[in-house]
Amino acid sequence: GNILRTRLLQKFFPDSAFIILTRHPVAQLYGVKKWVANIPNWVILTNWVVAHQVVKHDTKFLKRVHFMSYESLINNHDDELIKLSRFIGLDLKKSATQLRPHVNQSYFEKWRDFRRNNLISKLYAIFIESLFGPLIKRWGYSFSEVLRTR
């Protein structure tokens, strides 16, 4: 929710800094479905796209904002945490934190299963991929990475 409130939060906290953590929309989709299973996939993906468009627009009004993707944090966590620590004014050299690198893969497998479920699911998935593909590409994400098996 706060991704849509950055300008308001900055108004109330003028010295604030914002860390915007993005995540692949398919992983986000299934994360949301854990809590509210009855919302259609296209609604959750629309929410992801609109929220990211709003925050991107609002960055021109924010004094301090740092974008980081969940995937880059997982894959290059020391580098990303060093960049983040510099952004917030710390001097972190290396993290002792161990991260689980393949969490998104279970969500991607759910999408592949959904796509294989039956003809209607497959057509619905293809429709969603064609509709949302160009919109998520602006953030460096694609459905092709979801469809690749490891």
Side-chain angles (χ1 to χ4, degrees):
N2 287 334
I3 193 171
L4 300 175
R5 297 183 187 106
T6 54
R7 290 171 68 182
L8 176 68
L9 290 167
Q10 182 174 266
K11 182 152 181 76
F12 290 126
F13 306 99
D15 296 328
S16 58
F18 297 93
I19 301 161
I20 308 297
L21 185 66
T22 64
R23 188 171 189 186
H24 195 289
V26 170
Q28 181 73 21
L29 164 73
Y30 285 107
V32 169
K33 281 197 168 279
K34 283 182 182 178
W35 302 104
V36 283
N38 60 338
I39 296 180
N41 293 349
W42 70 269
V43 172
I44 297 170
L45 291 171
T46 298
N47 182 281
W48 188 98
V49 168
V50 170
H52 286 72
Q53 287 173 335
V54 168
V55 78
K56 189 67 168 175
H57 172 265
D58 287 353
T59 56
K60 59 186 161 196
F61 302 103
L62 302 175
K63 294 176 191 169
R64 295 181 60 210
V65 64
H66 178 78
F67 283 89
M68 177 186 343
S69 77
Y70 169 86
E71 295 78 15
S72 64
L73 177 62
I74 293 299
N75 295 325
N76 308 304
H77 70 280
D78 283 339
D79 292 340
E80 291 298 327
L81 289 174
I82 287 169
K83 287 180 205 172
L84 182 59
S85 71
R86 288 185 186 138
F87 172 71
I88 60 176
L90 298 175
D91 189 26
L92 180 68
K93 299 294 183 213
K94 189 174 178 182
S95 168
T97 304
Q98 294 297 316
L99 303 175
R100 297 179 305 153
H102 303 292
V103 173
N104 276 1
Q105 291 309 313
S106 64
Y107 293 126
F108 293 173
E109 184 59 35
K110 284 183 181 195
W111 183 261
R112 291 190 295 268
D113 287 346
F114 171 71
R115 217 174 186 274
R116 289 188 293 255
N117 192 23
N118 59 50
L119 181 60
I120 303 254
S121 291
K122 183 174 185 164
L123 292 173
Y124 180 49
I126 291 169
F127 172 73
I128 287 175
E129 292 164 8
S130 64
L131 181 65
F132 288 97
L135 300 170
I136 69 171
K137 186 176 182 180
R138 297 174 187 167
W139 290 88
Y141 295 111
S142 73
F143 284 97
S144 62
E145 64 192 294
V146 175
L147 299 175
R148 280 193 298 266
T149 56
R150 295 202 179 240

